[in-house]
């Protein structure tokens, strides 16, 4: 089955700097890759996603890139702000009648003021 | 507020017992997903239903079962509870069963003593 690895497990950056979180997946058939942000004590929230027919997607300060050949995808956050501090999860999913998500272990991002 | 509701918010029970968690999806959403989040296992996909029909199965134990009713609400039944079942259980919903943005509910925190 699918396996998703995520690095780093913790990341500290200064406010205004960029943050990059990388995920690799094992199943080349996976075709949908969402990123979720989870603040302490709250529910996961989708922040951006990418499908396998797209190489890059951007939404304001957040971007995701996908390399299908290498089977990895990355989350890029520019001009980080303290409110970006949270745990970020990547996931891989395969469309096959239903949608079976496999999540990475998460990255705890701390943005230092 | 995502529009997904879950009850109860907290649940404390004893080993060997059975509990039922309830989820009401956003208005118009036909697909429901269940997730388990624990400290050591991270976020794990359990099962997906679409319009009353099971569509995908993840790491759901045989002691656990779920169903989606004609009014589209869903219930997750956990039986023969063990200490290790203590976790946060999230429900999420989406309009369609494939490749759609999921909206998470606030979660039910289960503590098995």
């Amino acid at each position: 089955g699918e396996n998703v690895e995520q690095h780093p497990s913790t990341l500290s950056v200064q406010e205004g700097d960029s943050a990059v979180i990388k995920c690799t997946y094992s199943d080349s058939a996976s075709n949908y890759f969402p990123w979720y942000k989870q603040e302490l004590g709250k529910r996961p929230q989708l922040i951006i996603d990418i499908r396998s027919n797209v190489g890059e997607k951007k939404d304001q300060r957040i971007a995701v890139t996908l390399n299908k050949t290498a089977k990895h995808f990355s989350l890029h956050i520019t001009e980080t702000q303290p409110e970006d501090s949270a745990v970020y999860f990547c996931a891989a999913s395969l469309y096959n009648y239903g949608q079976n998500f496999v999540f990475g272990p998460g990255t705890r991002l701390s943005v230092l003021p | 507020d995502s529009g997904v509701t879950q009850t109860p918010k907290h649940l404390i029970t004893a080993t060997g017992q059975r509990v039922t968690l309830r989820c009401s999806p956003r208005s118009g959403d036909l697909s429901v997903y269940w997730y388990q989040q624990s400290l050591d296992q991270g976020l794990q996909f359990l099962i997906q239903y679409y319009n009353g029909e099971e569509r995908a199965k993840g790491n759901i134990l045989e002691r656990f079962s779920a169903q989606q009713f004609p009014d589209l609400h869903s219930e997750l039944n956990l039986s023969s509870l063990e200490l290790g079942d203590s976790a946060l259980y999230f429900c999420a919903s989406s309009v369609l069963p494939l490749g759609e943005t999921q909206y998470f509910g606030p979660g039910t925190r289960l503590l098995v003593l």
Side-chain angles (χ1 to χ4, degrees), chain A residues 38 43 51 97 99 101, chain B residues 2 37 48 53 55 99 102:
Chain A
Q38 188 176 26
R43 73 196 78 186
R51 301 177 198 280
Y97 187 63
Q99 190 159 233
F101 286 89
Chain B
S2 66
Q37 187 173 35
Q48 177 201 8
E53 182 184 0
R55 279 297 186 104
Q102 295 180 55

Side-chain angles (χ1 to χ4, degrees), chain A residues 32 34 36 38 41-46 49 51 87 89 93-105 108, chain B residues 1-4 33 35 37 43 45 48 53-58 88 90 97-102 104-106:
Chain A
Y32 175 62
Y36 290 88
Q38 188 176 26
K42 297 192 175 179
R43 73 196 78 186
Q45 285 189 301
L46 179 74
D49 58 10
R51 301 177 198 280
V87 177
F89 293 96
S93 172
L94 171 65
Y95 299 172
N96 183 16
Y97 187 63
Q99 190 159 233
N100 191 333
F101 286 89
V102 177
F103 287 81
R108 183 173 299 278
Chain B
D1 185 0
S2 66
V4 179
Y33 308 77
Y35 296 90
Q37 187 173 35
L43 195 57
F45 166 73
Q48 177 201 8
E53 182 184 0
E54 182 185 308
R55 279 297 186 104
K57 217 167 188 176
L88 194 51
F90 286 107
L98 298 177
E100 295 295 320
T101 301
Q102 295 180 55
F104 279 73

Side-chain angles (χ1 to χ4, degrees), chain B residues 25-52:
Chain B
R26 292 187 322 155
S27 176
D29 284 0
L30 300 178
S31 196
V32 169
Y33 308 77
W34 284 99
Y35 296 90
Q36 180 193 57
Q37 187 173 35
S38 58
L39 284 174
D40 57 344
Q41 295 285 333
L43 195 57
Q44 290 209 75
F45 166 73
L46 297 178
I47 197 163
Q48 177 201 8
Y49 280 85
Y50 175 72
N51 206 19

Side-chain angles (χ1 to χ4, degrees), chain B residues 53-90:
Chain B
E53 182 184 0
E54 182 185 308
R55 279 297 186 104
K57 217 167 188 176
N59 297 321
I60 187 166
L61 299 173
E62 285 193 14
R63 300 184 286 110
F64 296 1
S65 64
Q67 53 184 326
Q68 185 179 27
F69 295 87
D71 67 352
L72 301 176
H73 91 271
S74 179
E75 293 181 355
L76 179 67
N77 300 296
L78 315 176
S79 62
S80 304
L81 285 168
E82 302 175 359
L83 297 177
D85 297 327
S86 296
L88 194 51
Y89 291 85
F90 286 107

